Every structure is written in C-alpha cells, then in structure tokens.
C-alpha cells in the first residue's frame, strides 16, 4: 500500500490489476473498491487492521465491473454505490461468468459471490468522517454508472476507471467518450492534488491530461475504422507515443472492437462481458 497523505492509502498493483483505496477518518474507515479476488480483499483487511483499530464503515464501489466489486464478499461492511451500479450488478449471471474463466481462476473464486450494495444514491452522496469529507458522485463516462470519490480536505480523487495511468484504457460499448473527456476537464480545475486511477499508479493533473489526449485520439481512430480495417489502423497507430507507452496493448485492440459495437447497445443480452482481470 502507498500512503498519499494523511491517512489515505492506495494499493500498488504493478500488474495492471484494479486499485483499491483506504481512507481513515476520525469516525471510521472507508474502503474504495474491493478488487477482483476476495483473497486480495482479505489481504487489504489485514493491512487495515495492522494500521488502525477503527471500524470499516463502508465499502464504496466506483462502478459495477467485477474487477472492482467482487472482493465486496470478503469485507464485512455495508456497500455504497449508485443505484445504477446496484442495478447492473443484479443483472450479472455470476455462475455463467465464473464458468467462462480459466479453471485455475474458477477454483480461486469457488466461494466468491456478488455482494450487492445496500446503500445507494442517484447522483451524489456525502459521508462525514469527522475530520474528512467524502463526496461520491456518479458522473458516467467509462460506464453510465461510473462514480468518482473525492476526499476533502486532502484533495484526492479516486477516479475509478475514468483514469488509467501507464496502461491502456478499457473502453467499452457502454463508454461515452465525449462526457468522459468533459468530466476529466472539469476535475482538472478543482484544486485536487492526487488522482487515483482505477488501474496503474497514482497520478496528478499530468496523467489526467494524458488521459484526455488518449481519449480524443481513440475517438478519432474509431471514426477511421469505419472506413479502414482494424488491423491496418492498429498497425498505423500502434507506434504513436500516446498509445505505445501504455501497457496491455491487447486491451487497445479490444477496446476499439468493443467501442465500435456501441451502436448495438441495448440489443445485446446484457451490460456485462467476461472480464479477464
Ligand atoms: Zn471498469
């Protein structure tokens, strides 16, 4: 775990797995996202009990994707999310999802289950930790239910999957790139010091800028693909520094394919696709 100022910690996942955060306030502790593997969430609990005897008040989920929410089942605290996140989680056929995974991961997840949020909000919710104020806002962008969590007075924003640093972004048919860029542009001007990405290492305004440029470029590529073959486009742009310096190049291709399917949104069986991490 990395400390980012007074009693706020973030996991350091060097392999691109999703991040989780811990905010310790006077009245108790808030955990932001619970990662994919319950075993990892248990390690997070061990870390918390090693540094504080306060109780965990809530887990807050930034969005429904299971790499951010499946660990909920290992944490004994009520889960907060937007109503939309709860709704999306309820639509996942977990047994079907689990059986689509590699046997070794199925085994690892044999006791896992989706734990649904019990406290929900529509657009906004605040939690008072005594000496810290937590602002949770559903903003959309990466997915319609994507929420961000701001910690004041620290000036820290947990961005969920609105920010990827060092890795390719996961853009899906549910993503709204225009509003995604707009939200990041607004966040840049809010006196925030640290931006915690959903994946990758902690960033500042620089990483937010880079993400905005990435998204702009990604959008223009997706328009090009309508007239070119995807392989040709990837070959042409694979070396562009905006894309080349990020990890998980396969995710870039997947995102382009997924994003081009967005016209089919609502025609598919559900909002969920098998996730690989
Ligand atoms: Zn996500």
């Amino acid at each position: 775990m990395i400390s980012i100022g007074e009693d706020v910690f973030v996991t350091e996942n060097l392999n691109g797995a999703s991040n989780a955060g811990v905010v310790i306030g006077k009245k108790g502790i808030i955990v932001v996202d619970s990662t994919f593997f319950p075993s990892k969430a248990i390690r997070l609990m061990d870390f918390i009990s090693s540094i504080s005897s306060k109780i965990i008040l809530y887990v807050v989920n930034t969005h429904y994707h299971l790499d951010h929410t499946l660990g909920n089942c290992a944490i004994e605290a009520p889960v907060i999310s937007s109503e939309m996140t709860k709704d999306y989680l309820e639509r996942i056929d977990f047994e079907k999802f689990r059986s689509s995974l590699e046997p070794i991961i199925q085994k690892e997840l044999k006791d896992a289950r989706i734990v649904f949020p019990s406290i929900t909000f529509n657009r906004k919710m605040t939690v008072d930790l005594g000496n810290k104020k937590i602002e949770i806002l559903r903003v959309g962008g990466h997915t319609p239910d994507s929420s961000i969590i701001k910690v004041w007075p620290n000036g820290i924003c947990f961005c969920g999957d609105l920010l990827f640093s060092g890795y390719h972004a996961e853009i899906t048919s549910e993503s709204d790139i225009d509003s995604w860029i707009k939200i990041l542009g607004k966040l840049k001007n809010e006196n925030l010091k640290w931006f915690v990405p959903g994946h990758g290492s902690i960033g500042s305004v620089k990483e937010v800028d880079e993400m905005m440029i990435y998204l702009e470029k990604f959008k223009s590529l997706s328009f090009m693909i309508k007239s070119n073959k995807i392989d040709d486009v990837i070959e042409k742009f694979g070396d562009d520094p905006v894309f080349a310096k990020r990890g998980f190049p396969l995710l870039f291709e997947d995102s382009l394919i997924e994003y081009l399917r967005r016209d089919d949104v609502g025609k598919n069986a559900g909002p969920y696709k098998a996730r690989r991490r």
Side-chain angles (χ1 to χ4, degrees), residues 150-276:
K150 297 178 199 166
V151 183
W152 302 108
N154 305 58
I156 294 167
C157 183
F158 287 91
C159 303
D161 281 358
L162 286 163
L163 183 66
F164 287 74
S165 85
Y167 296 98
H168 277 286
E170 184 179 25
I171 300 166
T172 77
S173 56
E174 309 165 282
S175 301
D176 178 343
I177 294 187
D178 288 330
S179 42
W180 190 337
I181 294 169
K182 238 187 241 163
I183 297 152
L184 292 176
K186 247 176 95 185
L187 281 180
K188 259 174 47 176
N189 299 313
E190 283 188 33
N191 256 332
L192 289 155
K193 231 178 12 199
W194 300 109
F195 296 86
V196 181
H199 303 260
S201 43
I202 299 155
S204 60
V205 170
K206 176 177 162 270
E207 281 70 24
V208 177
D209 271 329
E210 286 175 358
M211 189 75 213
M212 289 170 76
I213 294 166
Y214 181 101
L215 291 168
E216 286 287 2
K217 232 172 192 172
F218 184 94
K219 209 177 84 179
S220 60
L221 284 188
S222 71
F223 283 123
M224 279 187 68
I225 292 173
K226 291 193 171 153
S227 47
N228 292 297
K229 279 212 307 259
I230 194 155
D231 289 349
D232 298 342
V233 174
I234 286 168
E235 192 169 330
K236 195 163 160 203
F237 286 90
D239 293 335
D240 186 309
V242 169
F243 300 115
K245 66 176 187 173
R246 291 183 182 246
F248 286 152
L250 272 178
L251 193 56
F252 178 45
E253 193 174 329
D254 277 6
S255 285
L256 279 166
I257 294 166
E258 260 289 309
Y259 184 65
L260 291 171
R261 285 180 49 231
R262 72 193 181 286
D263 295 339
D264 298 331
V265 171
K267 293 178 204 152
N268 301 315
Y272 194 77
K273 62 165 186 144
R275 313 192 66 77
R276 286 158 305 166

Side-chain angles (χ1 to χ4, degrees), residues 54-105:
K54 291 190 173 151
I55 62 155
I56 299 172
L57 297 170
Y58 310 108
V59 180
V60 185
N61 289 153
T62 56
H63 62 302
Y64 78 101
H65 287 160
L66 290 182
D67 55 334
H68 297 256
T69 53
L70 194 55
N72 287 355
C73 66
I75 306 174
E76 273 177 46
V79 180
I80 295 179
S81 80
S82 69
E83 282 157 24
M84 215 183 247
T85 298
K86 185 181 179 212
D87 188 42
Y88 285 171
L89 279 169
E90 283 172 348
R91 286 198 241 164
I92 294 174
D93 183 340
F94 183 63
E95 288 315 316
K96 194 173 161 194
F97 164 74
R98 182 160 45 193
S99 60
S100 72
L101 301 168
E102 291 165 42
I104 188 165
I105 300 186

